[in-house]
């Protein structure tokens, strides 16, 4: 198989397919994941090829989906649960934070739950309420969950396979507004040579300011960096990829060179991932910082109606404004 | 099970419960309150368990009750943080376990420690949660027993999922999932019944209706005619049994386990019983129930009823009673001895089990705690 240009949606699909081919214990379960192939078609064709027993159209109940996945995992299965939209995860939230996250700990390591919970997240798709949220901080705040997110098709392909292979539960956030953006994916690459799931990546090297982002905002930041380059400013873009654990070594190394950091996410500002990044960068890179860490985030409001979501969401201009603020120090 | 086709819409007044999913008008019973035989019709279709099983149940109930009293005493001595007693519920605690094979799974709540001991889980390991030195002290895989559930009913979807896994693997494993009357109000109870039915999962949901969710009586918990009535909405048969009649409890649960094992899907059993003690040692039950009510239920004591029934059938001697008592004393003597010392909880272990492998942040934080503990 040679390199192929594919969308993020297709890359998750291809990654899931490969994981299912490699291990009979991998199951896909959720609402509409089978016959329909998911509302975003991410699981398209999997039920046809792997059967109704491995790609399961469940009753419509997120708590039941996650809860029964726990029982399946206890007997050796590796369920991949799809939550249809970010805002619909909360009926299953109790099972995720109280049960999935804690089972390994409370059993003294005797019970492992290799469950992946896939959640399409984020806004800018013109949807009605509860369809555009960024709830990642709730999960990253919960010990026992790994929380990761991809920003491009290449990562989507490999990260979903790495998540399935992990013995810990993983909440896997997919940037739904980027689902149909393409990148080259080469399945022939040796999996051992792929960047580790929990590592950040320098997506674009630069010298003047570090901009750290994840998921849908990585593309926004790359666009901002491109615009800044036209004005002679060199921005380094770091894709955090893993939000729990949040391995910031890559960011520290970058900030020690640039002396400046802007953190960008769609999620609300207060106690968001950006706050944790800012705190830790301050702890670790205090003498390298030329300016306070700047945050570019959603506002501290519930996610807005579609007609005003573009005024709520961080965009290229807001990222560049933050870069300017940082450089003004 | 009858089908729609057998009851065409054109026929006169279709029965309200064509599939037979609703419980009988009265709970299944084999014994009257004093242990004499109940009227024949109360048995329904259920077979009487053999005397050997009932003798074993008697012995286990005596041991369970003694264990329960000892655990309450240990709490008063400060050896346990808290103990939710199941005194009065011995028929359910023991019956739910004796209906299972060792290869079956049990999903208990915090009030089911007596069931854990009946399952031959080491008593000290069974009390680890309540002692506070770890959350679950026994090996769930080795004992085929899930950790005790504290947020009620959250374990029921797990039970449904595990039973579904067993069916997928072609195993004949059955899962017994325990819950109380209060737990039936939780969404997880309903989702678990629905998923179990859809998955044809071999799981028996046993509701120990002990009449109170701490202080809230059943009348404030549900407007349904019975908790077993809740099965019909999911296509799950509901059975109601006198939960203080050990013969009936074993008859019904053995049958329910056989039904689940046969591939017919889940069964919901409501056992009407009573929590004789307060919710825990920290509870004051005089604030919400009358002394007379407790005394009334004591006259329906499951151990006394089985004692009377077995003696009437020449299946229990004074020597048997002494032997059961001795078995109980042996267990609690050992328990007292081993609970006398301080728990062996190690704070450094906190970091070992968050994930399969500790993350770099956890290793760093483990270092901070080690330094605080005076290690280098």
């Amino acid at each position: 198989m040679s390199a192929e240009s594919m969308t993020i949606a297709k890359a998750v699909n291809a990654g899931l397919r490969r994981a299912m081919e490699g291990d009979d214990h991998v199951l896909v379960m959720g609402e509409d994941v089978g016959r329909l192939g998911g509302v975003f078609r991410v699981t398209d064709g999997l039920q046809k090829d792997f059967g109704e027993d491995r790609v399961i159209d469940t009753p419509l109940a997120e708590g039941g989906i996650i809860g029964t996945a726990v029982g399946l995992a206890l007997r050796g299965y590796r369920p991949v649960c799809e939550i249809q939209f970010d805002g619909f995860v909360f009926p299953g939230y109790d099972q995720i934070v109280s049960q999935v996250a804690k089972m390994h700990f409370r059993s003294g390591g005797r019970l492992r739950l290799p469950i992946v919970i896939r959640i399409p997240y984020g806004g800018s798709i013109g949807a009605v309420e509860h369809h555009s949220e960024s709830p990642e901080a709730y999960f990253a705040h919960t010990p026992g969950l790994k929380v990761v997110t991809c920003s491009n098709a290449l990562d989507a392909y490999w990260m979903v396979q790495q998540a399935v292979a992990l013995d810990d539960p993983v909440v896997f956030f997919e940037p739904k507004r980027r689902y149909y953006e393409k990148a080259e994916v080469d399945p022939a690459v040796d999996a051992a040579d792929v960047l580790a799931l929990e590592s950040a990546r320098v997506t674009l090297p630069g010298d003047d300011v570090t901009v750290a982002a994840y998921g849908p905002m990585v593309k926004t930041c790359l666009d901002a960096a491109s615009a800044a380059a036209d004005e002679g400013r060199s921005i380094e873009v770091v894709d955090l990829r893993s939000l729990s654990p949040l391995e910031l070594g890559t960011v520290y190394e970058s900030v020690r060179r640039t002396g400046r950091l802007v953190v960008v996410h769609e999620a609300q500002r207060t106690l968001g991932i950006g706050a944790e990044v800012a705190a830790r960068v301050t702890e670790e890179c205090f003498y390298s910082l030329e300016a306070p860490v700047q945050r570019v985030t959603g506002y501290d409001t519930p996610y807005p109606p579609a007609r005003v979501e573009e005024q709520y969401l961080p965009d290229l201009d807001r990222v560049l404004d933050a870069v300017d603020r940082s450089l003004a120090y | 099970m009858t089908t729609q086709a057998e009851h065409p819409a054109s026929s006169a007044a279709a029965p309200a419960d064509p599939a037979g999913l609703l419980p009988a008008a009265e709970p299944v019973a084999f014994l009257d309150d004093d242990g004499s035989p109940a009227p024949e019709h109360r048995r329904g279709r259920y077979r009487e368990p053999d005397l050997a099983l009932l003798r074993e149940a008697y012995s286990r109930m005596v041991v369970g009750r003694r264990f329960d009293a000892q655990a309450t005493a240990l709490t008063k001595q400060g050896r346990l943080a808290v103990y939710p007693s199941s005194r009065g519920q011995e028929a359910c605690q023991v019956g739910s376990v004796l209906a299972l094979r060792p290869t079956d799974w049990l999903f208990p709540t915090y009030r089911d420690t007596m069931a854990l001991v009946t399952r031959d889980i080491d008593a000290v390991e069974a009390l680890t949660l309540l002692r506070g030195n770890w959350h679950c002290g026994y090996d769930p895989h080795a004992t085929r027993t899930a950790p005790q559930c504290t947020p009620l009913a959250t374990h029921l979807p797990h039970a449904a999922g595990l039973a579904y896994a067993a069916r997928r693997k072609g195993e004949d494993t059955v899962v017994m999932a325990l819950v109380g009357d209060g737990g039936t109000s939780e969404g997880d109870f309903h989702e678990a019944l629905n998923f179990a039915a859809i998955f044809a999962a071999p799981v028996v949901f046993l509701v120990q209706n002990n009449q109170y969710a701490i202080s809230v009586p059943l009348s404030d918990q549900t407007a349904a005619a019975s908790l077993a009535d809740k099965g019909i909405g999911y296509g799950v048969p509901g059975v109601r049994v006198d939960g203080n009649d050990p013969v009936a409890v074993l008859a019904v649960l053995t049958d329910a386990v056989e039904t689940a094992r046969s591939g017919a899907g889940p069964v919901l059993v409501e056992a009407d019983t009573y929590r004789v003690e307060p919710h825990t040692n920290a509870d004051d039950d005089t604030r919400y129930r009358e002394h007379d009510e407790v005394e009334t239920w004591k006259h329906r004591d499951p151990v006394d009823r089985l004692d009377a029934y077995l003696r009437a059938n020449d299946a229990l001697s004074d020597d048997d009673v002494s032997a059961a008592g001795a078995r109980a004393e042996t267990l609690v003597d050992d328990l007292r001895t081993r609970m006398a010392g301080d728990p062996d909880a190690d704070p450094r272990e906190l970091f070992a089990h968050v994930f399969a492998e500790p993350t770099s942040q956890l290793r760093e934080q483990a270092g901070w705690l080690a330094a605080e503990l005076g290690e280098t």
Side-chain angles (χ1 to χ4, degrees):
Chain A
M1 206 186 296
S2 59
E4 182 186 339
S5 175
M6 58 177 82
T7 64
I8 290 181
K10 172 68 181 162
V12 175
N13 179 289
L16 285 173
R17 176 177 293 278
R18 190 156 161 186
M20 295 184 78
E21 285 165 353
D23 184 349
D24 288 347
H25 294 96
V26 178
L27 308 176
V28 168
M29 55 195 289
E31 299 155 9
D32 305 299
V33 296
R35 229 159 286 141
L36 184 66
V39 295
F40 292 105
R41 307 293 182 265
V42 169
T43 55
D44 191 30
L46 295 180
Q47 189 182 67
K48 180 172 154 287
D49 293 341
F50 293 97
E52 292 180 8
D53 276 349
R54 290 191 65 197
V55 182
I56 304 161
D57 276 325
T58 65
L60 197 160
E62 290 77 9
I65 294 167
I66 305 296
T68 50
V70 169
L72 285 158
L74 288 174
R75 292 294 288 119
Y77 288 98
R78 306 182 85 86
V80 180
C81 303
E82 177 173 300
I83 300 296
Q84 201 157 73
F85 282 90
D86 35 59
F88 301 167
V89 71
F90 297 102
Y93 187 65
D94 177 55
Q95 281 290 336
I96 298 172
V97 302
S98 254
Q99 302 296 318
V100 172
K102 292 177 179 169
M103 196 67 87
H104 188 265
F105 182 81
R106 58 201 282 255
S107 68
R110 288 166 169 140
L111 300 180
R112 289 188 173 179
L113 296 181
I115 299 171
V116 176
I117 299 162
R118 293 181 38 243
I119 308 177
Y121 80 123
S124 196
I125 62 163
V128 298
E129 59 178 340
H130 306 293
H131 288 70
S132 301
E133 301 176 3
S134 296
E136 62 272 15
Y138 298 121
F139 300 98
H141 191 65
T142 302
L145 298 175
K146 295 207 163 154
V147 182
V148 302
T149 177
C150 53
S151 67
N152 59 77
L154 181 67
D155 279 353
Y157 177 75
W158 290 109
M159 287 173 77
V160 76
Q161 294 179 65
Q162 292 168 323
V164 171
L166 210 60
D167 279 342
D168 298 311
V170 181
V171 184
F172 191 91
F173 282 101
E174 298 168 8
K176 72 168 95 74
R177 74 154 102 165
R178 309 289 185 205
Y179 261 149
Y180 306 110
E181 294 186 5
K182 288 186 170 184
E184 287 288 310
V185 177
D186 184 358
V189 169
D190 188 341
D193 295 335
V194 174
L195 184 64
L197 181 64
E198 293 162 12
S199 300
R201 172 190 283 122
V202 176
T203 302
L204 179 73
D207 301 319
D208 298 334
V209 179
T210 304
V211 175
Y214 55 86
M217 284 289 105
V218 173
K219 169 79 161 47
T220 304
C221 294
L222 288 170
D223 292 344
S226 175
D230 294 342
E231 297 175 6
R233 285 175 175 167
S234 169
I235 292 178
E236 176 147 305
V237 177
V238 178
D239 182 352
L240 294 173
R241 298 186 353 130
S242 173
L243 308 181
S244 179
L246 190 58
E247 298 289 359
L248 292 179
T250 305
V251 174
Y252 300 155
E253 192 280 324
S254 177
V255 168
R256 285 180 188 127
R257 279 189 288 104
T258 64
R260 302 174 197 278
L261 175 65
V262 175
V263 194
V264 184
H265 52 66
E266 283 190 21
Q268 285 83 356
R269 187 176 193 81
T270 300
L271 297 175
I273 300 294
E276 177 66 16
V277 172
R280 280 173 50 194
V281 165
T282 307
E283 287 170 355
E284 296 293 328
C285 308
F286 189 71
Y287 291 107
S288 303
L289 284 170
E290 302 288 345
V293 177
Q294 303 291 318
R295 283 182 287 167
V296 181
T297 67
Y299 295 118
D300 286 336
T301 69
Y303 196 85
R307 297 290 183 192
V308 292
E309 70 179 332
E310 296 307 330
Q311 284 73 51
Y312 168 92
L313 289 167
D315 62 5
L316 181 147
D317 288 331
R318 281 193 199 151
V319 173
L320 290 177
D321 285 348
V323 166
D324 287 346
R325 286 200 303 276
S326 179
L327 285 166
Y329 276 87
Chain B
M1 201 183 284
T2 51
T3 65
Q4 196 73 42
E6 292 169 67
H7 296 279
S10 58
S11 70
D17 180 21
L21 299 177
L22 283 172
E26 292 178 287
V28 176
F30 280 69
L31 305 180
D32 272 337
D33 287 358
D34 62 1
S36 56
E40 191 72 24
H41 75 275
R42 293 287 301 278
R43 299 185 174 200
R45 62 178 179 78
Y46 295 96
R47 279 181 285 112
E48 189 166 338
D50 66 46
L51 285 171
L53 180 62
L54 292 172
R55 280 166 51 83
E56 177 64 8
Y58 173 83
S59 176
R60 295 282 188 168
M61 287 165 64
V62 168
V63 171
R65 175 165 293 184
R66 181 69 188 89
F67 165 82
D68 189 84
Q70 185 62 63
T72 297
L74 285 166
T75 310
K76 289 174 179 165
Q77 294 160 16
R79 296 292 179 196
L80 297 177
V82 68
Y83 182 72
S85 169
S86 52
R87 184 181 177 88
Q89 301 177 212
E90 289 85 355
C92 296
Q93 292 288 299
V94 169
S96 59
V97 172
L98 293 190
L100 298 178
R101 296 177 185 166
T103 48
D104 293 333
W105 274 75
L106 179 71
F107 278 71
T109 76
Y110 58 76
R111 196 176 300 287
D112 302 313
T113 315
M114 195 192 294
L116 301 187
V117 171
T118 305
R119 198 138 166 87
D120 290 330
I121 290 175
D122 177 77
V124 173
E125 291 185 5
L127 287 170
T128 301
L129 169 76
L130 303 167
R131 196 184 190 193
N133 46 326
W134 201 258
H135 296 320
C136 176
Y138 49 89
D139 184 339
H141 284 303
T143 59
R144 302 274 178 131
T145 303
Q148 283 171 287
C149 161
T150 310
L152 289 172
T154 54
H155 62 321
L156 301 182
H158 309 171
L162 189 139
Y164 175 44
R167 184 173 78 70
R168 293 175 60 99
K169 287 166 179 269
E171 300 168 351
D172 63 359
T173 306
V174 170
V175 176
M176 176 74 68
L178 307 181
V179 67
D181 42 304
T184 65
S185 296
E186 293 280 4
D188 277 336
F189 171 82
H190 298 270
E191 293 186 25
L193 255 70
N194 191 41
F195 275 67
I198 288 289
F199 289 155
V203 50
V204 176
F205 297 97
L206 173 60
V207 181
Q208 293 175 81
N209 173 6
N210 67 13
Q211 314 301 326
Y212 288 91
I214 303 190
S215 67
V216 178
L218 186 68
S219 56
D220 289 343
Q221 199 67 244
T222 183
S226 83
L227 298 175
D229 278 44
K230 292 174 186 275
I232 192 170
Y234 305 104
V236 173
V239 184
R240 202 170 158 210
V241 61
D242 178 345
N244 279 20
D245 174 348
V247 182
V249 168
L250 268 168
V252 166
L253 289 182
T254 303
D255 180 86
V257 166
E258 282 172 13
T259 299
R261 207 183 303 282
S262 73
V267 181
L268 172 65
V269 178
E270 174 193 358
D272 293 331
T273 182
Y274 197 75
R275 187 193 79 217
V276 171
E277 295 288 322
H279 165 61
T280 67
N281 51 293
D283 178 35
D284 174 9
D285 63 336
T286 64
R287 294 174 73 100
Y288 56 83
R289 64 184 185 184
E290 299 295 328
H291 178 70
D292 285 355
E293 182 185 287
V294 181
E295 288 306 307
T296 302
W297 276 90
K298 282 183 177 171
H299 290 297
R300 308 184 58 217
D301 184 81
V303 180
D304 290 349
R305 287 165 84 182
L306 186 55
D307 181 306
Y309 174 80
L310 289 173
R311 284 181 192 274
N313 285 276
D314 294 324
L316 190 74
S317 66
D318 289 345
D319 284 349
D320 292 330
V321 174
S322 298
R327 191 175 170 184
E329 290 309 319
T330 300
L331 184 128
V332 298
D333 283 351
D334 175 65
L335 179 61
R336 277 195 305 268
T337 304
R338 292 165 62 205
M339 295 289 276
D342 288 327
D344 54 359
D346 181 354
R348 287 165 302 193
E349 204 179 339
L350 288 177
F351 305 96
H353 304 307
V354 181
F355 295 108
E357 297 292 334
T359 60
S360 61
Q361 285 96 331
L362 286 169
R363 285 196 300 273
E364 182 184 26
Q365 292 170 22
W368 299 342
L369 180 62
E372 222 175 75
L373 296 171
E375 297 163 14
T376 52

